[in-house]
Structures are given as structure tokens and as C-alpha cells.
Amino acid sequence: MKGVIFDFNGTMFLDSDLHEAAWLYLIQKYSNRTMTEEDILKNIHGKTNDVILRHFLSADLSTEDIQQLSDEKEAYYRKLVVESPEHNTFTTGLTDVLAELKIQNIPMTIASASPKVNMDFYFDYLNLGKWFYEEKIVYHDGSFPGKPAPDIFLIAAKKINVSPEDCLVIEDSYSGLQAARNAAIGTIVAIDPFHQNRAIFQAEKLAPDGVIDDFSTFSSTYLK
């Protein structure tokens, strides 16, 4: 392993509940659709906003509609983050991992389905600039297909000048783990803090290199 690519939401920052709440708010506001547990696993987390909106609201939404609805959802989500005292820090153990990666001079970046407006928010809210170069972050900008397509991880690997087979990807979402597999990433690790999805991850062999609860033992396991 010569480089590390982190997913962000639900991986570095345990905010999956807030994203689910924001999507539920938006979907109930504009449709009669419901969200099942399978929807949350396979059609929400890891997916880009345009894909989610067309799946739940209408396949015929215009680009302008997508942007307006996406902006509304993300503004509501960011409001939930700021108002939640439980959502103001990284996942347990992550700062120690980031420090160790810096010490070992191992290239690292973030590959997220989030739009730029959210990544800008995280750079301010969580001081991401202490650990990451903003120009090396990969976020959803509409220029490549989202997860489970491999593009996001291939782009991230290129940005840190490490071949995909020499990268470690850490992901929490079903689609993200599929994307890592599709990108032929050399080491794929899932994070499942609340033990919700590890059975399906393991059954479908989406996390061949392990499933972790948090980053407490990450360095001793993967950075030896």
C-alpha cells in the first residue's frame, strides 16, 4: 500500500444519519415516495445527488431542477450539522491515522460523492486543510459518472500519483465499495460503525481486506 483514499461522509465524518434525515425531508416534501432500508443502503449512500433525485422524484428532472433541489437538500443537511453537537469532529481514531500518514509521508486524499459546496463547508468546519490539499480532493462535479463506476477512485489515485493497485480505499457505502472493486483498488476496507451493513459487505465480498468500527486500530493493522 503506497497511498490512501478516504471516502468522506460516513467514513471520516459520521453524518450518515443527517444525510438520511435531509433526504427524507426532501423526498417527503416533493413526492409520496418512502425510503426503505434497502433504498438507504443502495440508492442513497454513496450516490450523487442527480442520481438520487431522478430515482426518487422523477427521471425527467431538468438540470436546473436538479441543481435547485440539490442545493435545498444540502443547505438543510448543513443546517442539521451545525445544529448538532454530536457532529463536530472526525470519526474516532482518525486524527491519529492522519498524523501517522503524514509522518510516513504516505500520499492521501478524499474521494467523495458530495458536491463542492459541502467540501468547502468541511474545509472550514473541520479544518481539512490541516491534512489535505484542496486541489487533490475529488468531489462530484458532473464530469464523471458517480459510484459504483470506478472513475472517482481512478481520478483520486492519479491525483496522488499512486497506481490503483497500490492504493487503500476506506469506504462505508455499498456503492462506494463497488466502485473501489471496479477500480481494481489493491486494498479495500469497509467501515461500519453501527454494525448495520457488514453482513452484506462480507456476503458480497465487497470488503476483502476487513471491516472496521472506527480508526482506533487502523494504523496497527494497515500501516505496519
Side-chain angles (χ1 to χ4, degrees):
M1 188 276 295
K2 297 178 181 178
V4 178
I5 303 171
F6 294 92
D7 171 56
F8 188 78
N9 305 102
T11 298
M12 297 178 66
F13 185 50
L14 298 186
D15 60 345
S16 296
D17 56 330
L18 301 187
H19 277 289
E20 290 168 17
W23 278 119
L24 183 62
Y25 159 80
L26 195 81
I27 290 165
Q28 290 184 336
K29 180 177 179 180
Y30 292 106
S31 79
N32 295 319
R33 292 286 300 271
T34 58
M35 283 197 315
T36 65
E37 289 299 320
E38 186 173 15
D39 276 327
I40 291 170
L41 175 66
K42 297 184 177 180
N43 296 314
I44 293 288
H45 293 307
K47 298 288 189 177
T48 55
N49 288 358
D50 56 325
V51 170
I52 297 171
L53 289 166
R54 289 193 168 106
H55 176 83
F56 284 99
L57 299 187
S58 171
D60 300 322
L61 289 172
S62 68
T63 301
E64 292 75 19
D65 290 335
I66 293 290
Q67 189 62 57
Q68 180 180 345
L69 290 164
S70 178
D71 288 346
E72 182 177 355
K73 179 264 170 178
E74 298 305 348
Y76 186 77
Y77 155 78
R78 292 192 301 273
K79 178 176 180 290
L80 293 177
V81 173
V82 171
E83 292 176 351
S84 173
E86 294 82 24
H87 296 81
N88 61 6
T89 190
F90 289 129
T91 303
T92 299
L94 179 58
T95 53
D96 290 338
V97 170
L98 297 176
E100 183 63 26
L101 289 168
K102 285 282 191 181
I103 289 170
Q104 294 192 29
N105 200 29
I106 296 174
M108 59 181 175
T109 191
I110 296 169
S112 173
S114 286
K116 186 176 188 299
V117 64
N118 280 12
M119 294 312 302
D120 290 343
F121 168 75
Y122 302 135
F123 264 85
D124 290 337
Y125 188 69
L126 295 168
N127 193 24
L128 280 184
K130 179 179 179 180
W131 309 105
F132 296 94
Y133 294 107
E134 194 166 358
E135 64 272 16
K136 293 187 178 182
I137 301 297
V138 186
Y139 53 84
H140 179 63
D141 63 3
S143 66
F144 55 87
K147 303 168 185 176
D151 303 58
I152 191 167
F153 291 125
L154 297 176
I155 294 167
K158 186 174 182 180
K159 279 180 176 279
I160 59 173
N161 296 312
V162 178
S163 64
E165 59 267 26
D166 289 327
C167 285
L168 181 152
V169 161
I170 174 73
E171 258 282 0
D172 74 303
S173 74
Y174 183 84
S175 335
L177 292 167
Q178 288 180 312
R181 182 172 64 186
N182 292 337
I185 295 297
T187 306
I188 302 174
V189 180
I191 182 168
D192 185 29
F194 307 109
H195 293 222
Q196 291 177 313
N197 302 315
R198 65 186 58 206
I200 191 168
F201 292 165
Q202 291 169 340
E204 298 193 22
K205 297 180 172 56
L206 291 174
D209 300 292
V211 183
I212 60 175
D213 294 341
D214 56 35
F215 288 92
S216 299
T217 61
F218 187 89
S219 293
S220 60
T221 304
Y222 300 103
L223 302 183
K224 293 185 287 186

